[in-house]
Amino acid sequence: MAPTDDLPATMRAWRVTRLGEPEDVLELHDVPVPSPGPGEVLVRTRAVALNFPDVLLARGQYQVRPELPFVPGIELSGDVVAVGGTPDASGPDVFAIGDRVVGSEIGVLSEYAVLPAAAVRLAPDALDDEASAALTIAYQTAWFGLRRRAELRAGDWLLVHAAAGGVGVAAVQLGVAAGARVIGVVGSDAKAEVARAAGAEAVLVRGRDDLVAAVKEATGGHGADVVFDPVGGDAYDASTKCIAFEGRIVVVGFAGGRIQQVAANHPLVKNYSVLGLHWALYQQRRPDLVAEAHDELAKLAASGAIAPVIDVVPFADAPAAVQRLAGGATTGRIVVRVGS
């Protein structure tokens, strides 16, 4: 399928030129517009949702280390403007020029980006470009963690750490949509209202409230049936003390800086499970499940059950926005508006 006729020869792209703090090492360059190869699509970028891995990429601390200079950004919304190679049944032939899409791949903080067709989905009609950009990683992570790994059920008590962050808000909203009763843990009073607005019926402030006692009190001594933990450290330790009989702790990350340490005798004695969730492995190994989750998320967006909480910034402010994310004081998602 041929590209549209109005593609420019060059585009603007933010590139990491050396490793360090994002605000210091991101530079705006004019670079050639890339061409899609077999099984790839070229997307005109409308918006890019920032993720903490963008911070780690700039610092050289991410598990993937692209060769310098490189374009960061791993999540976008935009329009298909070209497809490459000879498509097959699972490839770019499912897209038409002009399709509005979302996708995830390193290297999208630019006016155009090439992505594998398998990493691209049609954008939900119910969400605008900026909200659509924030749908994939956070909501897919929460969906797989809660629905597939923890098998969250209606009536379960769900404890969500970092409940005002991008993934945390997604977990709260999806928990409520599944009929769970949600307790959110946030880092400050300023973040508490974000968790409440997402649907948490109780909100605890980390470092101020006694998490274990408060969870037991809120649940009438039952404890949390499911814990969604992207924080680790003290948050995980506390979760093991208020987990319910046959409860499930989903380890999503360790943003608190200390990796969760599982003492195997404790899950044995209390009869709970510790489950890992690495969403990218589903993208690699079970894209069919990712497609199913995306379709369900689109339905939930159409019904109003989920809605990304976003802070939109202009393309020119991308380095400062990534630096804000590094500071840990943000709520919801920061989305960079790239094109109109």
Side-chain angles (χ1 to χ4, degrees), residues 23 42 51 77 122 150 210 222 237 243 275-276 293 297-298 322:
E23 202 166 25
L42 177 64
N51 292 271
S77 67
L122 293 174
D210 184 333
H222 177 78
D237 295 343
I243 189 72
L275 307 165
L297 291 170
V322 180

Side-chain angles (χ1 to χ4, degrees), residues 27-123:
E27 297 180 3
L28 189 60
H29 294 167
D30 286 325
V31 298
V33 172
S35 298
E40 297 178 331
V41 295
L42 177 64
V43 175
R44 179 186 288 115
T45 309
R46 297 300 184 185
V48 173
L50 301 180
N51 292 271
F52 197 72
D54 293 318
V55 176
L56 300 179
L57 281 165
R59 293 172 175 169
Q61 297 173 344
Y62 196 52
Q63 57 259 43
V64 178
R65 299 187 180 184
E67 183 179 348
L68 293 169
F70 66 88
V71 178
I74 60 176
E75 185 175 15
L76 60 59
S77 67
D79 310 311
V80 174
V81 293
V83 298
T86 302
D88 58 32
S90 62
D93 58 328
V94 299
F95 301 108
I97 300 301
D99 276 346
R100 187 168 162 268
V101 297
V102 296
S104 175
E105 179 79 357
I106 294 175
V108 303
L109 193 54
S110 55
E111 292 179 312
Y112 293 84
V114 166
L115 296 89
V120 174
R121 314 283 171 200
L122 293 174

